[in-house]
Amino acid sequence: MTTSAKTSTSRQRTSWKQDPEAVKADILRVARAEFAAHGLSGARVQDIAEKTKTSKRMIFYYFKDKESLYREVLEQAYNDVREGEKALELENLDPVEALSKLVKFTFSHHRDNEDFIRLVMIENIHRGIHLTASETIRSGNTPAVDQLKEILERGREMKLFRPDIDPLRLHWKISALCFFNVSNEPTFTRVFGDEIVSQEGQRKLKEEIVRTILNSVLAVPVSGS
Amino acid sequence: MTTSAKTSTSRQRTSWKQDPEAVKADILRVARAEFAAHGLSGARVQDIAEKTKTSKRMIFYYFKDKESLYREVLEQAYNDVREGEKALELENLDPVEALSKLVKFTFSHHRDNEDFIRLVMIENIHRGIHLTASETIRSGNTPAVDQLKEILERGREMKLFRPDIDPLRLHWKISALCFFNVSNEPTFTRVFGDEIVSQEGQRKLKEEIVRTILNSVLAVPVSGS
Amino acid sequence: MTTSAKTSTSRQRTSWKQDPEAVKADILRVARAEFAAHGLSGARVQDIAEKTKTSKRMIFYYFKDKESLYREVLEQAYNDVREGEKALELENLDPVEALSKLVKFTFSHHRDNEDFIRLVMIENIHRGIHLTASETIRSGNTPAVDQLKEILERGREMKLFRPDIDPLRLHWKISALCFFNVSNEPTFTRVFGDEIVSQEGQRKLKEEIVRTILNSVLAVPVSGS
Amino acid sequence: MTTSAKTSTSRQRTSWKQDPEAVKADILRVARAEFAAHGLSGARVQDIAEKTKTSKRMIFYYFKDKESLYREVLEQAYNDVREGEKALELENLDPVEALSKLVKFTFSHHRDNEDFIRLVMIENIHRGIHLTASETIRSGNTPAVDQLKEILERGREMKLFRPDIDPLRLHWKISALCFFNVSNEPTFTRVFGDEIVSQEGQRKLKEEIVRTILNSVLAVPVSGS
DNA sequence: AATGAATGAGCCTTCATTCAT
DNA sequence: GATGAATGAAGGCTCATTCAT
C-alpha cells in the first residue's frame, strides 16, 4: 500500500505512520465508499474509522469534521473522473468515430464508477451546496466538454455535422442518458424489471444512446435511434 | 399547571381529531416534504412532528416507525404521479402530436414535481429496497408506458414510425432526459453555469428533447436533434 | 422529598416519576451545587446526572442544553436570595437599628450562601451574558434596595441621616463589603493568613462593616470605622 | 510538499528562537489574557498556542501542563501588581494625603488591571489551591500593607488617626471596595443599570471610597461617607 | 533544545423509540 | 383511540497530552 522506504525505522507497526499523506489517502478511500453507500447523514464516522488503518480521532485531526471530509471526498471524486476523461485519445479519429467512442466511454465509465454517480446524486440531494467552495470543479472547463468542442469543430469543417450544435448541451444530453442509466437503475428495475439492466439490455442501450447522440449532430441523420 | 377548562371548547379544538385519516394525511404531507428535502436518514421525526397538527407520538402510533412512514410516503408519491399521467388525453391526436405532447408533459410534470424526483433519487440511493413491498408500484403497468405503446402502435400502422420501437426503452429515454434535468440541476449548474437552467435554456431544452425522441421513432427522421 | 400522594400508583420506584416539576427541581438542586463548585465549563453534565435521581438524558430533556440549565440555576439562585431578603422585617425598627440589622443580615446571608456568591462570581467571569434574558432579575427592583430606600427616608425625616444618600450606592457599598468577604476569602487567606476569616475575625469584621455603613449615612458620624 | 529552501533564511526566521525566556514570556503573556478571559477550565491550550509565536507543543515543553502554566500566570500577575504598588511614593506626603492617594491609586490600579482582578476571581473559584506553592506570594508582606502601616503610624503620632487601626483590616476594606468595583461590574450593571459604572459614577464612587476609608481612621471623622 | 504526528478519554448532544396509562 | 413522559444507544466532536525523533 504505502511506499516501503523508511528503512531506518525499526518497527513494522509504525511503517505507515509519519506519513500523513498516506493516512489521509486511506481515510479518503474508505470515506468515499461509505458516503457513496449511505449518504452524508447516513454515513457514520465510526464506521469509516473502523475500516481504516487509523482511528476515529485521526479523521477529525486531518479533516476537521464530517462535512469537510465529505467535501474532500466529493472533490476528489470529481477530479478522478476528469483525469479518467483526459486519458481518452480522440484526436486521430474521424469525428463520427471520435464522438461514438466518447459516448461509449462515458457510458462505460459511469457504469464502472457507481460510487461517483452515487456521490453526485447525494450532492444533488444537498442541492450542491458542498460544491461551492471548490474552484477547480466549478471552472466548467471539463475535459469532456473540451473534447466535444474539438470533435464538433472538426465535424463541422468536414460538413459532417450540423453547424449549430452547442457542445455544452450535447454534453448535457450524453450525461443525462449515461448518468440516469446508473443512478436510477434500482427503482427502474423494481418497477419495470431487468430488461434494460441485463447484460444484453445494456449492450443494446449503449448502441442506442450512441445512435441518438450521433443523430443529434449529423447533417444527414440516419434512421434508427 | 394543567388548566381544566377544557369542557366547553373541546369540540372545537378537536374538530380534526377523531379523524384518523385526516391526521395520517397531514403527517404524510409533511413527511413527504421533509424526506424529499433531507433524505431518509437526514429527515428528523421531530421536525416532521413540529410541522404537523399532531405530535411526534402520533407518527409512531399511526406509522409504526420512521422507515414505514417513508415507505408510505414513497408509495403515495408514485401513485400521485401516475394519477397525473392518466389525465393526459392523447387518443384523439395523431401519433406524432401525441408523442410530442407526452414528452412535453413529462418534461413539465417532472419540473413541477421536484419532491417526487428527489424522493426517487433518495430511494435509488437506498438501492430501491423500500419499493419491494408495494405491489401496485411494481406492476410495471404505468399509464405512461401504456400510452406510449398505444401511440407507437398507431404510428406504426400509419407507417409513420419504425416498427421495432420498444415502448419501455422509449419510456426509459424520455424519463432519463426529463428526470436528469431536475435531479442533477444543482450540480450541473454549479459546474457549468445556468445556461441550461435558465428559462430560455429550459424552453430550448424541452424542444430539443421532443425532437430527439421523435427522431428515435420516425421512419423518416428529420434533421436537427 | 416529593409529595407522597399518587396513592393509586402501585410501584414505589416510580413514585417520583410522572412529576416533571419534582424531577426538574432535583436536577436544578444538584446542578446549582456543581456549577457553583466548578463553573460553567468546569462542571460536567455527567457528574450532575449521577447525583440526580434521574439520568443525563433527562437533563437535556428538561433543560435543552448545559448552558440553559446554567441559566436557570443562576436565575433561581437570584430569586432565592431575593426571597430571603423579603423575609426581613425592618418596618418597626428605628432607622439606625433597621440599617444595622439589614447590614448584619446581608453579611450573614452571604456567608451562609456561598454557592450563590460563587455563582455570581462565575457569572461575572462570563461578563454577565447569561443574565441578559431574565427580565425579573434585571428589573433592579430588589427588596434590598427597596428596604434601604425606605429606611433612608425615615432616617432623613428624623434628621438622623444625611439627606443626600443614594440608596443604590449605599446598597453597592454594603454588597461590596459583604460579597468580597466571601468571594475572596480563599486568596486573601492564603496571602494574609486567617486573622480575618477566623470566627473572632468575622465577628469584628461584621461590626466594623456595620459601623462603616452607619457612618456613611449618619448626619453626625461617630468615631470608629 | 516539503520545500527544502530553508538554508538562506533560517537565521532570519529563527531570530526569536534559541531564546527560551522570550518564548516563555510570549506564552505567559498570551496565557494570562486567555485565562483571564475564560478561566482555567474555560481557556483552551489550542487557543493560547494560536495567539503565540510558537506551537502548542512548546507550551507543554516549557510549562509541563495547563495547570502549571496557569500557576505561573497567576504568580506573575500577583508579582506585577506588587511591583506597581511599590512605585507609589507616599513618604513625603502627610498621612491624610498619603492614605487618600493610596486609596485612589488602588481604585484606579484595579480598574486598569481587569485581567488581574479576573485571575484572582478565577483563583477564588478554585478556592485558592494554586496559590499554595508560591512562597513569595504567601508572605503577606505586600507593599500595600507595608505602606499602610507606615502611614497609620505617622498619622497616629500626629494624633490625626485613631490608635487602634489594624493595617491589614484597613487593607482588606480598601481592597474589598476597589476589587468589587471591577469584579462585579458585569452582574451589577445588568441588574441595576450603569449609574455606577458610568464615567461620572466612577468618579463619584472613587471619592466616596476615599472618604469612607478616611473616616475609618480619622480621630475626628468628618461628615459624609 | 525543539518539534510534527498522533491519541485515549471523555465531552455535550441527538436520535428514533417505548413506557404507562 | 390517543398521549405525555421518559429513555438507551449512539452520534459527532474536543480536550489536554504523549510519542518518537
Side-chain angles (χ1 to χ4, degrees):
Chain A
M1 234 25 59
T2 61
T3 49
S4 55
K6 299 270 175 187
T7 45
S8 61
T9 310
S10 52
R11 272 178 281 185
Q12 202 73 357
R13 226 194 98 237
T14 57
S15 64
W16 59 271
K17 283 188 179 183
Q18 304 289 45
D19 187 350
E21 293 309 313
V23 176
K24 286 183 74 170
D26 183 42
I27 293 171
L28 278 172
R29 181 183 54 80
V30 174
R32 187 198 291 218
E34 289 293 309
F35 282 131
H38 308 109
L40 172 49
S41 55
R44 299 282 165 251
V45 176
Q46 177 80 316
D47 293 351
I48 295 173
E50 278 166 11
K51 293 175 179 171
T52 291
K53 281 183 297 211
T54 182
S55 69
K56 183 166 68 163
R57 184 62 189 75
M58 285 293 93
I59 292 174
F60 294 100
Y61 180 60
Y62 282 122
F63 297 94
K64 189 188 171 188
D65 57 23
K66 192 189 184 185
E67 203 168 332
S68 300
L69 173 60
Y70 169 78
R71 246 191 195 89
E72 289 212 30
V73 162
L74 193 63
E75 189 161 348
Q76 201 201 48
Y78 265 91
N79 286 334
D80 285 1
V81 165
R82 297 198 176 177
E83 288 304 312
E85 290 172 349
K86 275 187 198 163
L88 261 182
E89 292 185 7
L90 307 169
E91 298 82 6
N92 302 324
L93 301 175
D94 74 86
V96 171
E97 279 197 45
L99 182 54
S100 178
K101 185 175 176 184
L102 178 64
V103 173
K104 284 176 185 166
F105 169 81
T106 304
F107 185 91
S108 300
H109 198 234
H110 278 28
R111 243 298 53 112
D112 298 341
N113 289 280
E114 201 186 317
D115 275 2
F116 169 70
I117 302 293
R118 294 172 64 83
L119 284 171
V120 174
M121 291 166 76
I122 289 161
E123 182 53 14
N124 274 300
I125 293 289
H126 290 282
R127 303 211 128 88
I129 56 172
H130 307 94
L131 232 47
T132 314
S134 173
E135 196 53 42
T136 34
I137 292 175
R138 297 176 63 205
S139 68
N141 296 323
T142 74
V145 176
D146 291 344
Q147 287 167 325
L148 266 182
K149 192 184 290 183
E150 192 265 347
I151 294 169
L152 287 173
E153 265 167 31
R154 284 200 286 132
R156 193 188 54 201
E157 281 168 13
M158 294 167 73
K159 309 283 184 191
L160 288 168
F161 293 168
R162 297 169 49 206
D164 60 342
I165 306 298
D166 176 14
L168 181 57
R169 301 182 93 83
L170 187 60
H171 173 68
W172 183 96
K173 214 190 288 180
I174 298 168
S175 288
L177 296 166
C178 295
F179 191 98
F180 183 89
N181 182 45
V182 180
S183 71
N184 285 47
E185 186 199 295
T187 55
F188 202 90
T189 303
R190 300 256 172 198
V191 177
F192 298 105
D194 57 4
E195 180 191 325
I196 287 174
V197 81
S198 72
Q199 206 170 355
E200 174 62 11
Q202 286 284 295
R203 199 193 52 74
K204 282 168 68 179
L205 185 62
K206 194 200 283 190
E207 289 308 319
E208 193 170 334
I209 290 174
V210 170
R211 263 181 287 133
T212 298
I213 297 300
L214 278 180
N215 263 351
S216 296
V217 301
L218 285 174
V220 183
V222 296
S223 176
S225 88
Chain B
M1 261 331 101
T2 53
T3 50
S4 55
K6 213 177 180 179
T7 47
S8 62
T9 53
S10 59
R11 272 299 265 294
Q12 206 76 353
R13 258 191 72 229
T14 57
S15 62
W16 58 269
K17 287 186 180 181
Q18 311 289 37
D19 184 353
E21 291 312 311
V23 175
K24 288 183 73 172
D26 183 42
I27 293 171
L28 278 171
R29 181 184 54 80
V30 174
R32 185 198 291 217
E34 289 294 307
F35 282 130
H38 308 109
L40 173 49
S41 56
R44 301 281 164 250
V45 176
Q46 177 81 314
D47 293 351
I48 295 173
E50 278 168 9
K51 293 175 179 171
T52 290
K53 281 183 300 208
T54 182
S55 70
K56 183 164 65 163
R57 187 65 190 73
M58 288 297 95
I59 292 174
F60 291 95
Y61 183 61
Y62 284 121
F63 295 93
K64 189 189 166 196
D65 58 22
K66 191 190 185 184
E67 205 167 332
S68 301
L69 173 59
Y70 168 77
R71 243 187 199 94
E72 290 211 30
V73 162
L74 193 64
E75 188 161 349
Q76 199 201 50
Y78 265 92
N79 287 333
D80 285 1
V81 165
R82 298 200 175 176
E83 289 304 312
E85 289 172 350
K86 276 186 197 164
L88 259 183
E89 292 185 5
L90 308 169
E91 299 82 7
N92 303 323
L93 300 175
D94 73 86
V96 171
E97 279 198 44
L99 182 54
S100 177
K101 186 175 176 184
L102 178 65
V103 173
K104 284 177 183 165
F105 169 81
T106 304
F107 185 92
S108 300
H109 197 232
H110 279 28
R111 248 285 67 106
D112 297 341
N113 288 280
E114 200 185 318
D115 275 3
F116 169 69
I117 301 293
R118 293 173 64 85
L119 284 171
V120 174
M121 291 167 76
I122 288 160
E123 183 52 15
N124 274 300
I125 297 283
H126 290 281
R127 302 209 129 87
I129 56 173
H130 307 93
L131 232 46
T132 315
S134 173
E135 195 53 42
T136 34
I137 291 174
R138 297 176 62 205
S139 68
N141 296 321
T142 73
V145 176
D146 291 345
Q147 287 167 325
L148 266 182
K149 191 182 293 183
E150 192 265 346
I151 294 170
L152 286 173
E153 265 167 31
R154 285 200 285 134
R156 191 186 54 201
E157 283 168 12
M158 294 166 74
K159 310 282 183 189
L160 289 168
F161 292 169
R162 296 168 50 206
D164 61 342
I165 305 299
D166 176 13
L168 180 57
R169 300 182 94 83
L170 187 60
H171 174 65
W172 184 96
K173 213 190 289 180
I174 297 168
S175 287
L177 296 166
C178 295
F179 191 99
F180 183 89
N181 182 46
V182 180
S183 71
N184 285 49
E185 187 199 295
T187 54
F188 201 90
T189 303
R190 299 258 174 198
V191 177
F192 298 105
D194 57 3
E195 179 190 324
I196 286 172
V197 81
S198 71
Q199 205 170 353
E200 173 63 10
Q202 286 284 294
R203 198 191 53 73
K204 282 167 68 178
L205 185 63
K206 194 200 281 191
E207 290 306 319
E208 193 169 335
I209 290 173
V210 170
R211 263 181 286 134
T212 298
I213 297 302
L214 279 180
N215 263 349
S216 296
V217 301
L218 285 174
V220 183
V222 295
S223 176
S225 87
Chain C
M1 250 355 87
T2 61
T3 47
S4 55
K6 300 270 176 188
T7 44
S8 60
T9 309
S10 53
R11 272 179 283 186
Q12 204 71 359
R13 228 194 96 235
T14 57
S15 64
W16 59 270
K17 284 188 179 182
Q18 303 290 46
D19 187 350
E21 293 310 313
V23 176
K24 288 184 73 171
D26 184 41
I27 293 171
L28 278 171
R29 181 184 52 80
V30 174
R32 185 197 292 217
E34 289 294 307
F35 282 130
H38 307 109
L40 173 48
S41 56
R44 300 284 165 245
V45 175
Q46 177 81 313
D47 293 351
I48 294 173
E50 278 167 9
K51 294 176 179 170
T52 291
K53 280 182 299 208
T54 182
S55 69
K56 183 166 66 163
R57 183 62 189 74
M58 286 292 94
I59 292 174
F60 294 97
Y61 181 60
Y62 283 121
F63 296 95
K64 190 188 171 189
D65 58 22
K66 192 188 184 184
E67 202 167 332
S68 300
L69 173 60
Y70 169 76
R71 243 189 197 91
E72 288 212 31
V73 162
L74 193 63
E75 187 161 350
Q76 201 201 48
Y78 266 90
N79 286 334
D80 285 0
V81 164
R82 296 198 177 177
E83 289 305 312
E85 289 172 349
K86 275 186 198 165
L88 261 182
E89 292 184 7
L90 308 169
E91 298 83 6
N92 302 324
L93 301 174
D94 74 86
V96 171
E97 279 197 44
L99 182 55
S100 177
K101 185 175 176 185
L102 177 65
V103 173
K104 284 176 184 166
F105 169 80
T106 302
F107 185 91
S108 301
H109 197 234
H110 278 29
R111 236 314 39 121
D112 298 341
N113 289 280
E114 200 186 317
D115 275 2
F116 169 69
I117 301 292
R118 294 173 65 84
L119 284 171
V120 173
M121 291 167 78
I122 288 162
E123 183 53 16
N124 274 300
I125 293 290
H126 289 282
R127 302 210 128 89
I129 56 172
H130 307 95
L131 232 48
T132 314
S134 172
E135 195 53 42
T136 33
I137 291 174
R138 298 176 62 206
S139 68
N141 296 321
T142 74
V145 175
D146 290 344
Q147 287 166 326
L148 266 182
K149 191 184 292 185
E150 192 264 349
I151 294 171
L152 287 173
E153 265 166 32
R154 284 199 286 132
R156 191 188 55 200
E157 281 168 14
M158 294 168 73
K159 310 281 184 192
L160 287 169
F161 293 169
R162 296 169 49 208
D164 59 344
I165 305 297
D166 176 14
L168 180 57
R169 300 182 92 85
L170 186 61
H171 172 66
W172 184 96
K173 213 189 289 180
I174 297 168
S175 288
L177 296 166
C178 295
F179 191 98
F180 183 90
N181 182 46
V182 180
S183 71
N184 286 47
E185 186 199 295
T187 55
F188 202 90
T189 304
R190 300 256 174 198
V191 177
F192 298 105
D194 58 2
E195 179 190 326
I196 287 172
V197 81
S198 71
Q199 206 169 354
E200 174 61 11
Q202 286 283 296
R203 199 192 52 73
K204 282 167 68 178
L205 185 63
K206 193 201 283 192
E207 290 307 319
E208 192 167 336
I209 290 173
V210 170
R211 262 180 288 133
T212 299
I213 296 302
L214 278 180
N215 262 349
S216 296
V217 300
L218 284 173
V220 183
V222 295
S223 176
S225 93
Chain D
M1 245 5 72
T2 53
T3 52
S4 56
K6 214 173 175 181
T7 46
S8 62
T9 53
S10 61
R11 272 300 264 295
Q12 206 75 354
R13 258 191 69 229
T14 57
S15 63
W16 59 269
K17 287 186 179 181
Q18 311 289 35
D19 185 351
E21 291 312 311
V23 176
K24 288 182 72 170
D26 183 42
I27 293 171
L28 279 170
R29 181 184 53 81
V30 174
R32 186 199 291 217
E34 289 294 307
F35 281 130
H38 308 108
L40 173 49
S41 56
R44 301 282 164 250
V45 176
Q46 175 83 312
D47 293 351
I48 294 172
E50 278 168 9
K51 292 175 178 170
T52 290
K53 281 184 298 209
T54 182
S55 69
K56 183 165 65 163
R57 187 64 189 74
M58 288 297 94
I59 292 174
F60 291 96
Y61 183 60
Y62 284 121
F63 296 94
K64 189 189 165 197
D65 59 20
K66 190 187 183 184
E67 205 166 331
S68 301
L69 173 59
Y70 168 77
R71 243 188 198 91
E72 290 211 30
V73 161
L74 192 63
E75 188 162 349
Q76 199 200 50
Y78 265 91
N79 286 333
D80 285 1
V81 165
R82 296 200 177 176
E83 288 305 312
E85 288 172 349
K86 276 186 197 165
L88 258 183
E89 293 184 6
L90 308 169
E91 298 84 4
N92 302 324
L93 300 175
D94 74 85
V96 171
E97 278 197 46
L99 181 55
S100 177
K101 186 175 176 186
L102 177 65
V103 173
K104 284 177 184 166
F105 169 81
T106 304
F107 185 92
S108 301
H109 197 233
H110 278 29
R111 248 283 70 107
D112 298 341
N113 289 279
E114 200 185 318
D115 275 3
F116 170 70
I117 301 293
R118 293 173 65 86
L119 285 171
V120 174
M121 289 167 79
I122 289 161
E123 183 52 16
N124 274 301
I125 297 282
H126 291 280
R127 302 209 129 87
I129 56 173
H130 307 94
L131 232 48
T132 314
S134 172
E135 195 53 41
T136 35
I137 291 174
R138 298 175 62 205
S139 69
N141 296 322
T142 75
V145 177
D146 291 345
Q147 287 165 326
L148 266 183
K149 191 183 292 183
E150 192 265 347
I151 293 170
L152 287 173
E153 267 167 28
R154 285 200 285 131
R156 191 188 55 204
E157 283 168 11
M158 294 167 74
K159 310 281 184 193
L160 287 169
F161 292 169
R162 295 168 48 205
D164 59 345
I165 304 298
D166 175 13
L168 180 58
R169 301 182 92 83
L170 187 60
H171 173 67
W172 184 96
K173 212 189 290 181
I174 296 168
S175 287
L177 296 166
C178 294
F179 191 99
F180 182 89
N181 182 45
V182 179
S183 71
N184 286 47
E185 186 199 296
T187 54
F188 203 90
T189 303
R190 299 257 175 199
V191 177
F192 298 105
D194 57 3
E195 180 190 324
I196 287 172
V197 81
S198 70
Q199 206 170 353
E200 173 64 10
Q202 286 284 296
R203 198 191 53 73
K204 281 167 68 178
L205 185 62
K206 194 201 281 191
E207 290 307 318
E208 194 168 334
I209 291 173
V210 170
R211 263 181 285 134
T212 299
I213 297 302
L214 279 180
N215 262 350
S216 296
V217 300
L218 284 174
V220 184
V222 295
S223 176
S225 88

